[in-house]
Amino acid sequence: MPKNSKVVKRDLDDEVIESVKDLLSNEDSPEDAFKKSELIVDVQEEKDTDVEDGSEADDERPAWNSKLQYILAQVGFSVGLGNVWRFPYLCQKNGGGAYLLPYLILLLVIGIPLFFLELSVGQRIRRGSIGVWNYISPKLGGIGFASCVVCYFVALYYNVIIGWTLFYFSQSFQQPLPWDQCPLVKNASHTYIEPECEKSSATTYYWYREALDITSSISESGGFNWKMTVCLLAAWVMVCLAMIKGIQSSGKIMYFSSLFPYVVLVCFLIRSLLLNGSIDGIRHMFTPKLEMMLEPKVWREAATQVFFALGLGFGGVIAFSSYNKRDNNCHFDAVLVSFINFFTSVLATLVVFAVLGFKANIVNEKCISQNSEMILKFLKMGNISQDVIPHHINLSAVTAEDYHLVYDIIQKVKEEEFAVLHLNSCQIEDELNKAVQGTGLAFIAFTEAMTHFPASPFWSVMFFLMLINLGLGSMFGTIEGIITPIVDTFKVRKEILTVICCLLAFCIGLIFVQRSGNYFVTMFDDYSATLPLLIVVILENIAVSFVYGIDKFIEDLTDMLGFAPSRYYYYMWKYISPLMLLTLLIASIVNMGLSPPGYNAWIEEKASEEFLSYPMWGMVVCFSLMALAILPVPVVFIIRRCNLIDDSSGNLASVTYKRGRVLKEPVNLEGDDASLIHGKIPSEMSSPNLGKNIYRKHSGSPTLDTAPNGRYGIGYLMADMPDMPESDL
């Protein structure tokens, strides 16, 4: 990466900038030019000059108002819905407290080094993901385009989840909450409880029937769910308004969207700790099952969670860091944001298990009450002798301890006939062991628990407002990962691009608000991101460590930060992280191969979920999503390797920029394998070596604001830039 170069400025009055070829034809001959030229050499003070002060491009590039705003943006992007409903589920499923150790180890081995790498390249090159990877290696420029495609896929369905949350938020201003009780059905003769609700539960019925109004398979569209369509439109309008001015608008919103969830989580934790049974939930969460640490599946799921928790590969991290000053300590940022993310996950897990412990206690009390009534009936019928029941136990108002004592006694006495009695042991652990994740946790388990809270509408409003903020914080980073690279590359207006991007996403997102839309959300979640993002991050690591060169990258970091990063990162980036990522990729492919592609469909007649395989067209869509996401990588590589773009194609290989205007210029790209992006012409190629950062400036030319690569192009000849790829289209 080249050091900053000292440049001078000139106002351009012409409406149209002449092509580079015409300009060069009017210049003096090389011999006369050399006589009238003066040498400008990089000195130490130039290294300290920020790019923002040095070129027109970076003068116009926005910057964060404060370091706090930037940190909150990164935290808001990395801390999302997955911290609330994915991490607690994995913790419960993979050994409780024992799961935290593999997660921490993988955070140090994969998470922090790769997060630091993305922050570094974004801050150093000051471009979005497309510009950054074009700069590192033109042939690997497809990495940036792949990031944008994956970001767009994720944004499509992620905002649908925010739409669901908006619907629940709007329904929370009622007492009692609308999902508190099963609805009653009236006919001519009598009134009865809705059978589908009675077979499941009030919150489950409300989610599948009232909110989603879901069909029984992905093949049955069922038409649009208009309530969710309106909510999806509202979600995209919120995102568009927040992002339309870039970080100037979204940065200010971060103060609320990033900090408010912590206020709610702390309030929920305090309130839930005062509830009966909450300690049982927390004890269950932190009781380690150490034997599970030996299972490869636990490590694979921990690595995947680390990977997605930090937003690696999306381009949002690179986009946000590209608005920093070059001397910002991004190593400190990487460690800080990573551990904030981890402690947020732990805090959310405490809240979730405290609430689930409370819910399990209520379910257990109901179970004990029902089974005690059954025992009383058996006593009256003579199936069980009164003598086996201890005299101090009153089955009409029995405690959990007394019930378990009676249960054990009956089990021993009626050893052969016990199964016929159909008594339940009513253990809290059985309820807590029921794994609930994703939408099931937020919209079913948590909502059910909140119906038992005092002032339940207040807590429901706070909970869904927190989810909206968590979702929006991640959406801002995801959309920034799309908008910033395109604006940097094609120099289009950010406001127009943001509106077009959001409008198009809403139109495509209509497939998710059909009555079968939930199944498409599952499809996109399973297939559009996991493998493509893994491949993207592996290629990022390879591009920096082996194509650009890890030694050169460490030198650049030292120059940028003012200190040499720990040797630990050298070994992580060059050996450990690539190996771990390849292992994770192989494990994910094997797991995907062993797991049949399918989804959990809600069957109305059974009032329960049932696993169904995707139809043939669904399988095609699944694999098409993965192929489309990673397709830009080989396409760009082949185009640049084989030099398939020439001057007759009318492409964007040659452009000049004038205050937000893009003007095409026909140039000769023959012989340039990086022509798709760089648009070099013979005059821009390296001249004989006269020193690494030396330029000839015509004494007769007015001064001009230009980058060292001559992109703005009047009056400079490259003296020697052999190592300097360009970063823009």
Side-chain angles (χ1 to χ4, degrees), residues 65 120 173 183 204 212 276 286 292 352 439 486 491 520 544 555 663 683-684:
N65 291 336
S120 302
F173 296 89
T204 304
L212 299 180
N276 186 29
F286 280 108
M292 296 194 71
V352 167
T439 54
I486 295 176
K491 299 301 185 226
F520 287 95
V544 170
E555 288 177 10
L663 304 169
S683 63
E684 291 181 321

Side-chain angles (χ1 to χ4, degrees), residues 460-479:
S460 182
V461 167
M462 294 289 283
F463 175 71
F464 288 110
L465 187 57
M466 176 190 73
L467 291 187
I468 290 169
N469 279 274
L470 286 172
L472 287 176
S474 296
M475 273 298 295
F476 295 157
T478 304
I479 296 297

